[in-house]
Structure formats: C-alpha cells, structure tokens
Amino acid sequence: MKRAFYLLVLVLFTSVQLHAQEKRATGWIFGPSVGYQYQSGSFLKASAWGMFALNQSQYLKLDGGANFTWMMDKTTVIPEFGATYYLNNVAVWPFLKGEITPYTATAKAGIGVFNLLEFAAGYGFDINTKKDFKPIDGFTFSVGVNIPLKFHLY
C-alpha cells in the first residue's frame, strides 16, 4: 500500500512537471527600439532589447543602448542599460522599469500598447555628474517604440 502511494505521488509529480514544461516559454523576442525622454533636458534614445517570459503572464525585457542629447551647446552620447518588468500580456501592458547610466539611476512606471508603443513617467537620481555638464536628475517622462524582429516565445 505504501509503495502504491509513493508510485502514485511520483506519477502525479512527473505529470505536473511535464505539463509545466509544455507551457513554459523558452525563447526570446528581440529587436531595436527608438524613443524620446525628457529628464533635465531632451534625449533621443536608441537601443537593442530582448524579452523573455517569466511565466505565462509576466515578462522581463533587458535593453542596452545610448541616449543622444544636445544640451549645453554640445552633443553627448550616454550609454544606458535598462530592465523592464511587464505585469501581464493583454493589449495594454503595465510595467515597471529601471534604467542606469554612468550619471543617473531612474525608476519608471508606465503602460505599453501591445509592447510596441510605451509611455512612462518616473524619477531619476543623479549618481555622478558629468564634467562640464549639468546634473541629469528629477522627474522624467518618455515615449518609445519597440520593433520586434521575432514575435514568438515558444
């Protein structure tokens, strides 16, 4: 009787594991993005991104790129890394985002329309003011367009 119980538990556990593996996304969606951000000045943003599924309704997007600005009568390019956590996968995707550059750390919240068009607002903290440049901190808002080159996670 004990062996039958353990065998039943093993079969159920294996069945649940196989079922869970069938529904788990294993791929990445990726592509370029462009956008505009205002944070102590105007920035044109360009990056490459990749997104994967944490489960069936939550996603994580990682992006790396550059911010271009023409503040204080000079052209400046600032590298940036970002991570975005999407809270679900319906037509409107609410998200939380963190961005870090050598000069500022920014937290944002926003919405994405089919993850193609994104609107966000947040606050950035100056962590290292660039020499001969103004601090990049304070309230921020942004709009961006993601261009997926691969559309399926499975």
Side-chain angles (χ1 to χ4, degrees):
M1 179 80 169
K2 220 180 205 183
R3 285 186 183 174
F5 175 75
Y6 288 131
L7 183 59
L8 179 61
V9 169
L10 179 64
V11 168
L12 288 173
F13 179 76
T14 303
S15 173
V16 168
Q17 288 295 85
L18 289 174
H19 181 69
Q21 288 174 356
E22 288 175 352
K23 296 195 179 246
R24 183 177 297 148
T26 57
W28 286 71
I29 295 175
F30 54 86
S33 66
V34 294
Y36 169 81
Q37 177 170 317
Y38 180 86
Q39 185 174 3
S40 297
S42 294
F43 293 88
L44 174 65
K45 299 168 73 81
S47 66
W49 57 270
M51 182 171 66
F52 63 95
L54 298 170
N55 57 42
Q56 288 183 329
S57 64
Q58 298 175 349
Y59 299 86
L60 185 64
K61 180 176 83 173
L62 304 174
D63 60 89
N67 295 328
F68 302 89
T69 186
W70 295 268
M71 289 191 282
M72 300 182 69
D73 296 326
K74 61 173 98 169
T75 300
T76 304
V77 179
I78 301 171
E80 179 181 79
F81 175 75
T84 308
Y85 171 70
Y86 293 96
L87 302 174
N88 86 43
N89 64 352
V90 294
V92 176
W93 296 29
F95 65 83
L96 301 172
K97 182 170 188 158
E99 297 172 337
I100 186 94
T101 74
Y103 312 109
T104 188
T106 304
K108 296 180 182 179
I111 58 168
V113 180
F114 294 109
N115 189 38
L116 299 175
L117 180 61
E118 294 182 344
F119 301 94
Y123 195 87
F125 300 91
D126 183 52
I127 56 176
N128 181 24
T129 303
K130 181 178 170 86
K131 184 179 178 196
D132 298 326
F133 206 74
K134 68 180 184 176
I136 303 169
D137 62 357
F139 176 76
T140 182
F141 67 88
S142 63
V143 61
V145 176
N146 297 314
I147 304 163
L149 299 178
K150 180 183 173 213
F151 295 96
H152 302 287
L153 290 171
Y154 297 94

